[in-house]
Every structure is written in structure tokens, then in C-alpha cells.
Amino acid sequence: MQSTFEWDGAAPPISFTYDGQRSARLLPSWEREEAVEEADGGTVRRCRYTDPRTRLCVTAHIRTFRDLPAVDWVLEVANQGAEDSSIIEGILPLDVVWQRPSGDNVVLHYANGSKCVLDDFLPITAQLRAGQNVTLSPNGGRASDGVLPFMNLQWSTGGCIIAVGWSGQWSTAFERAEETLHLRSGMERTRLRLHPGEQIRTPRILLIPWEGNDPLHGNNLLRRLLLAHYSRRINGEITTPPIAHMTMSTFHRTGFTDEVGELDALSRAAAVGVETFWVDACWYGSGGKWYEEVGTWSIRQDSFPRGLRPISDAAHKAGMKFVLWVEPERVRKGTVIERDHPEFLLYSEKNSDNALFNLGLPEARAYMTELLAGLIADAGVDIYRQDFNMQPFPYWQAADVPDRVGMAEIRHIEGLYAMWDELSRRYPRIAIDNCASGGRRIDLETTARAFPLWRSDFSDVGGPEHGQRLQIGDQLQTAGLSRWVPLHSAAVWNFTPYAFRSAMSSGVVLYCDIRESSFPATEAARAIAELKRLRPYFLGDFHPLLPLTTADDDWCAYQFDRPHAGDGFAVCLRRHESSTESMDLALHGIDVDADYEVGMTEAFDDPPRRRMRGAELLHMPITIPDRPGSLLLQYRKV
């Protein structure tokens, strides 16, 4: 596999068509420059190709890492000439053919994205046989709307992780012939000319080769790489999703909240160990429905006459952080932005109720950046939560002209990254929560800047009305998304060990009304304490212990392991229709010749440990008498 990453000076694994000619023919005759410099954790190599006639310049920024066998790159395309460029189209930052023997079984592992359904993030496996093609792309312009932009190819001796860093409409195609495997990845559509001095970027591509016969080894290399080199850090520490609480479920039910109610909920949340208090889509406008007032970002005076600062001050006094929800990219008719700045908006006949705030317009982005920076400063925000409840692709299509196809999308996505980077520059201690109708914009670039505190709207739309299927959805989200992305969290509605363990990951959101007399404060505090004990392990390797299904009568079991420390935990969940009381499970990462201290519990407690040989953990009998029921197993190498 190492040869995959050896760049031929005349033909890097990219492709495009310029003025009707393919890049494979053009690049050998273009001027070529190369520079290498040290970067954090590795090196960056810049390969630049310039057309001597038109001065179109294509630069590949290639990053390698010292500690992991991975490479990522992004292309920049610039017109350094004095006139408009010819048409450049079909820009693919990844276009490569790998030799695979005809008898080699090639398997593509990927996953659903988020669609607000039970099987969000469910793993999918496809056999790639000769003559078979698979193309993956999201729905409507948000990166993980329907499918995740993370994939794992497996063959007889190993495989390769492919990750796409593009928060818009990407596309990745796999074509298998008798002796080859052809990969192409980039934006779904590009056909444009560049004006003099104009520059664009492409999606980022990450490849991680792995060896062996377990595809989860590749997934865990991806998790390690994201944590080591992509995840945002504050004061040198990885920013992890918190244990949070918000009152939005009550606002949906009652249509009302105010400072008094928020402060009451805040004090109760602090008492059970919550780390962050969260004000969602209930703080702005003039009293209309929350989704009809996006675009009027003024604080509701009837509910919050003193603004939001008293709430964040109370959170900070209680040792908590403060989250604030905003949806800057969607603008409803009749709102302040729609009335005062229609020039900042894009429209589509497919959705006349909503306009798209055009982050690709520099003056619009500057306006929104200042608006958000003011909210962050005035309200004392620690975690800025950005939502996006619309599909932008039709708006970009409507904005493009025939010789600039793809430009509206490129500029918007570039603008999104620039805005987030500027907010992080101004407020180095702020974290960003990436939401898009749940987890519909998770990709390599957003993962480097933010985490999803709300990975699926399945936990919200319908909520407890899903019954026991709500917990199955939670399990699929935890075990499905954790294969690819280490940092995420979701809602929890109740605090039985089964329900809480189904939803918990590196963070969790208490979504029930904490102010009701029936709220189980004692159990909630014990559940939160358990998650705080387990949180370090969520940054370790992830291993599914059973196939992940949607069936009511199945079990779900998975493990988080820290190889460097020799410890971890496993969660076993027996679903409500399961007739199977016991299972034999084999833990991963175990030294068969070592001794381990092992504790198992069905309740929220820290159980006594007993000493076991590693060989015993490879055939571990697990019994859960209740259905539904759960068991937590913790282990530590002696």
C-alpha cells in the first residue's frame, strides 16, 4: 500500500479537464515547483503545476504524519493570468487506479449518515466485484445527510480508509474491473472558469492504509489520527463533548420559557453533576415559532429582559459552561436579515419559505461573523452551537451560471470554514458544536473544528413516543458513529442503566424536564458519575463485540480499549424482545498471559474487582436477566 502515496512528479492522483484536455496530458508539460516544510506532527509538501500559456495554477498541499501511516491533501486552483481562464471541470482531488488481482475479494465498509430515523449511522457492507460500481454522495448538500463521508476498503491483505473533508455535496465513486479498482472523489459537480486573481479550493482527501484482516484496525487508526492531529484543542487539551442539559423539550411542549425557569433548571442540573447548561432555539425573536424567526437574532424581551448574561453568569458560578444555539445560514421571510439585507441571501423555488445566508459573499460573512462574535461576548458563551435545518444544494444550483457551475457551493463552504476559524481565533477558549438537523454535516473538515453534541434528531422528533425503539436508535448511533468519529453526544430521556448506557458516548445531553417532581435526580446523578468515570476510555479504540442490527430481539455490545494503558470497558445491552439471557463475548486488545482486575455491574455503581487471566476475557460469559437490561464490564491490566 505504501506505493499508493508515492507521488509521481508528472501525475499526482488528481484529475480535471482544462480547455477540453485531460490533466494527465497537460501536467507533464506545465511548469512544476515543489517545496517541503515541517509541520506539526509531520511534513507538508507543496506540488505546484502552472500552465505556461494561461497561468492557471494547481497546487496540491500534501500532509504526512510521523506517528501514523496516513496522508491528506487538498488542491488549490488559481488563475494567475490577466484574463478569465478557460473552463476547468470535473475537478477530482482523488482519481486513482489501484491494481487488485481478479481473485481478490474487495469489500467496501461505510455507514448511513443521519436522516432522523432509527438506523442513523448503521454500518453497511458492499462487495465490490468486477463490473460493479458504487457511488456515494449525501442528500441536498450537507456532508453526512444520508451517508457518512468516511469509508473503509478491505482486501485480502489489508485495506485503506478514505475520508472526505467537504461540508457540501461531495461524491466518491468505486469502480471494480477484473484487475483494477478505480477511486474518484471530489465535489459532485464542477464546471467553471476563474477570473484573474481568483482562487478556489477542493475537498480534502485523507487516506490511511492498514494491514491484516480486521477492518476495524483501519477504523481505529482513523480515530487515533483524528484525536492526535485534527480534533480542536483548548489549552493543549482535546475539547470533548460535555454532559449538558437544556430545556428545549419543555419549550416544544409549552411554547414558553424565561429567565426564571432557565435558572431553576440550571441549579437543578448543577446539583446532579451536569457540566454545561444549554439555551437552544427559544431565546430570540418576538414570540413566534422558533423556526419562523431564524434571521431575527435579537433576544426575546418578554422572556429574557436582562438578556442571556444572567444565565451564563449563573452557569459559570456553578462551575458549568454555557452553550448557545444559533442558526445563521437559514433566514425566514419577514425576519430582520431578510428585510434589511436581501443582498446577502440566496433563494430557491424548491423552498420559498427559507433563504440561504450566503457565506460565500465576503461582506455577508463579515456581517454574520460580527453578529455571532457579539452574541458570544455579550452572552458569555463557552460553546457556540451552530445548527443548519435546510438543504443548501438547490440554492447553490440556482445561484450558479453555466460557466460557473459549483462556484456558489465552493464559496459558501470556504466561507463557513473561514467564519468558524475567525471565531476560534477571536475566542481561543470557545468550542463549536456542529449541528445540522442532527448529525448531517459531519466530515473531516468539521471534525477538525467542532464536535456534534446532537448527533441525530431521532432522539428529538418523537422522543419517548418511539418507545423501546428509542434506545435501539441510541445504540446504533453510539456504536455506528463511534467506528469513525470519536467525539459526539446525544440526548437521553430517562436514567435506567439500560437507557442511559444506550445513549452515552463521550458526552450526553439530559433532554427531559429536570424541574418536574418526577425527575429521578438520584439516578441521574449516579448515571452522570458513571459516565465521568468512563469518559477517558471513549478516546481509546472502539470494537463492536456483536453485529449491529435494528432488531428488537437482539443484543448490542461494544468495547472501548486503551492499548497503551491496558484498560477499558464493555457495554452489553439486551433489548426488550430478546429471548437470549446469556452471551459469550470475546474482548479485544487483551494480553492472554496477563492478569486483569475485572468488575461487572448492572447498576450504577463501581463494583468490586476480581482478578482474571487474560485468556478468560477472550471467552467471557455475560448474563443479563432483565429485558431490557444492561451490564457494564470494566477491566485493567495488573
Side-chain angles (χ1 to χ4, degrees):
M1 268 307 291
Q2 189 61 36
S3 61
T4 301
F5 308 128
E6 291 177 359
W7 289 61
D8 183 328
I14 64 175
S15 72
F16 57 87
T17 298
Y18 184 52
D19 198 17
Q21 297 189 65
R22 296 294 294 162
S23 56
R25 291 188 59 189
L26 293 173
L27 292 183
S29 65
W30 285 14
E31 299 168 4
R32 183 177 183 275
E33 303 172 70
E34 183 174 324
V36 180
E37 63 182 47
E38 292 297 312
D40 183 27
T43 62
V44 173
R45 181 180 177 193
R46 292 179 176 86
C47 296
R48 176 172 297 165
Y49 301 85
T50 304
D51 179 5
R53 180 176 61 87
T54 67
R55 307 310 296 174
L56 185 78
C57 177
V58 178
T59 305
H61 300 265
I62 311 150
R63 179 167 61 155
T64 56
F65 306 89
R66 282 189 289 271
D67 55 341
L68 288 163
V71 60
D72 90 359
W73 67 89
V74 63
L75 301 185
E76 290 177 350
V77 183
N79 181 5
Q80 297 179 346
E83 299 178 352
D84 282 357
S85 73
S86 298
I87 293 290
I88 181 168
E89 57 188 317
I91 307 170
L92 295 175
L94 175 63
D95 188 349
V96 64
V97 177
W98 290 336
Q99 298 298 315
R100 300 309 321 160
S102 59
D104 196 356
N105 186 35
V106 179
V107 180
L108 173 63
H109 302 274
Y110 64 104
N112 287 340
S114 181
K115 295 183 293 184
C116 187
V117 293
L118 175 74
D119 64 356
D120 279 2
F121 307 116
L122 182 72
I124 301 172
T125 299
Q127 299 284 335
L128 291 180
R129 298 182 175 88
Q132 183 176 2
N133 302 332
V134 173
T135 299
L136 304 178
S137 61
N139 302 316
R142 293 176 295 180
S144 55
D145 190 343
V147 62
L148 274 179
F150 299 94
M151 295 139 270
N152 190 352
L153 277 171
Q154 179 187 12
W155 44 76
S156 58
T157 58
C160 185
I161 294 285
I162 304 105
V164 181
W166 189 248
S167 307
Q169 191 68 15
W170 57 273
S171 176
T172 301
F174 304 85
E175 297 181 5
R176 180 79 194 276
E178 285 292 340
E179 301 287 339
T180 60
L181 179 63
H182 191 177
L183 275 70
R184 292 174 297 167
S185 187
M187 283 178 59
E188 191 170 84
R189 61 188 195 115
T190 47
R191 184 185 184 278
L192 49 89
R193 66 175 79 248
L194 296 177
H195 302 317
E198 196 171 33
Q199 177 175 296
I200 60 173
R201 62 153 287 178
T202 69
R204 184 179 301 276
I205 301 296
L206 168 67
L207 300 182
I208 309 174
W210 56 271
E211 297 179 352
N213 55 18
D214 181 4
L216 263 297
H217 176 55
N219 288 68
N220 281 317
L221 289 177
L222 171 65
R223 286 174 55 91
R224 295 175 192 176
L225 188 76
L226 292 178
L227 289 169
H229 298 287
Y230 291 81
S231 298
R232 178 163 161 73
R233 280 172 160 76
I234 296 176
N235 291 334
E237 298 293 327
I238 294 173
T239 56
T240 56
I243 298 166
H245 173 60
M246 65 166 164
T247 62
M248 198 62 189
S249 64
T250 306
F251 181 75
H252 283 322
R253 190 176 72 249
T254 65
F256 179 78
T257 188
D258 61 8
E259 179 185 312
V260 173
E262 295 294 304
L263 291 175
D264 183 19
L266 188 155
S267 64
R268 294 169 186 261
V272 297
V274 168
E275 300 165 327
T276 298
F277 191 75
W278 171 339
V279 172
D280 207 77
C282 60
W283 61 269
Y284 56 91
S286 57
K289 296 179 179 178
W290 71 270
Y291 55 86
E292 293 179 339
E293 298 207 81
V294 289
T296 296
W297 301 115
S298 56
I299 296 172
R300 288 182 58 167
Q301 291 302 299
D302 59 335
S303 297
F304 305 101
R306 298 194 296 161
L308 298 173
R309 194 67 189 222
I311 300 173
S312 69
D313 284 348
H316 296 149
K317 185 177 180 180
M320 304 166 72
K321 293 184 177 180
F322 180 60
V323 177
L324 183 65
W325 179 99
V326 191
E327 191 181 355
E329 293 166 275
R330 184 165 65 98
V331 178
R332 288 282 290 206
K333 284 187 175 181
T335 59
V336 168
I337 292 178
E338 197 267 345
R339 183 187 69 234
D340 293 351
H341 292 287
E343 73 277 13
F344 292 169
L345 307 180
L346 299 178
Y347 297 90
S348 168
E349 294 180 355
K350 294 184 178 181
N351 186 347
S352 59
D353 290 332
N354 294 306
L356 177 67
F357 190 89
N358 186 7
L359 290 175
L361 194 65
E363 54 267 38
R365 183 171 69 253
Y367 169 91
M368 185 56 69
T369 302
E370 294 304 319
L371 188 154
L372 295 174
L375 280 173
I376 290 167
D378 293 344
V381 175
D382 302 292
I383 301 176
Y384 160 61
R385 172 172 170 78
Q386 180 164 322
D387 206 346
F388 192 27
N389 292 300
M390 62 187 289
Q391 293 186 336
F393 195 48
Y395 297 83
W396 296 329
Q397 289 178 304
D400 284 339
V401 294
D403 65 347
R404 302 273 281 178
V405 174
M407 185 59 77
E409 176 181 348
I410 291 169
R411 291 296 184 231
H412 190 101
I413 299 304
E414 290 176 338
L416 171 70
Y417 301 154
M419 186 176 74
W420 280 6
D421 292 345
E422 175 61 15
L423 292 175
S424 296
R425 186 193 67 79
R426 293 193 194 186
Y427 304 103
R429 296 178 62 84
I430 200 167
I432 298 175
D433 167 22
N434 165 36
C435 186
S437 304
R440 302 195 200 194
R441 194 153 67 173
I442 301 171
D443 64 88
L444 190 63
E445 290 284 5
T446 57
T447 297
R449 294 170 169 86
F451 45 52
L453 291 183
W454 195 265
R455 63 197 180 196
S456 172
D457 270 353
F458 183 75
S459 303
D460 185 17
V461 180
E465 296 176 13
H466 295 304
Q468 298 282 6
R469 303 278 283 172
L470 177 62
Q471 278 73 56
I472 295 177
D474 290 336
Q475 294 163 22
L476 295 174
Q477 294 168 32
T478 299
L481 188 54
S482 293
R483 293 170 183 249
W484 311 95
V485 178
L487 303 176
H488 52 87
S489 69
V492 63
W493 287 84
N494 66 73
F495 299 92
T496 66
Y498 174 77
F500 189 85
R501 290 169 180 164
S502 293
M504 72 175 184
S505 53
S506 41
V508 77
V509 183
L510 280 64
Y511 198 47
C512 50
D513 193 338
I514 202 168
R515 295 165 293 184
E516 291 183 347
S517 59
S518 59
F519 177 75
T522 300
E523 283 301 290
R526 298 179 69 194
I528 289 169
E530 178 175 277
L531 177 52
K532 288 179 178 178
R533 289 196 303 270
L534 297 176
R535 177 177 278 154
Y537 303 112
F538 284 100
L539 303 184
D541 289 349
F542 171 80
H543 300 281
L545 300 178
L546 293 171
L548 191 59
T549 77
T550 62
D552 294 352
D553 60 353
D554 247 332
W555 281 40
C556 175
Y558 56 86
Q559 173 191 0
F560 286 93
D561 177 73
R562 300 194 299 182
H564 64 283
D567 59 5
F569 75 89
V571 167
C572 304
L573 301 153
R574 180 188 178 189
R575 294 175 179 167
H576 58 287
E577 295 293 338
S578 171
S579 60
T580 304
E581 188 175 281
S582 298
M583 288 258 184
D584 279 345
L585 300 180
L587 298 186
H588 292 255
I590 299 298
D591 182 349
V592 296
D593 296 321
D595 286 339
Y596 288 81
E597 292 180 348
V598 180
M600 291 184 283
T601 180
E602 297 174 37
F604 292 129
D605 55 30
D606 196 9
R609 303 297 198 266
R610 62 189 178 102
R611 183 164 293 204
M612 299 178 64
R613 293 291 288 173
E616 297 179 76
L617 296 177
L618 298 183
H619 302 282
M620 192 71 187
I622 302 295
T623 299
I624 302 177
D626 296 329
R627 64 174 186 182
S630 70
L631 184 138
L632 173 69
L633 183 152
Q634 292 179 258
Y635 61 91
R636 182 179 68 84
K637 189 175 181 180
V638 177

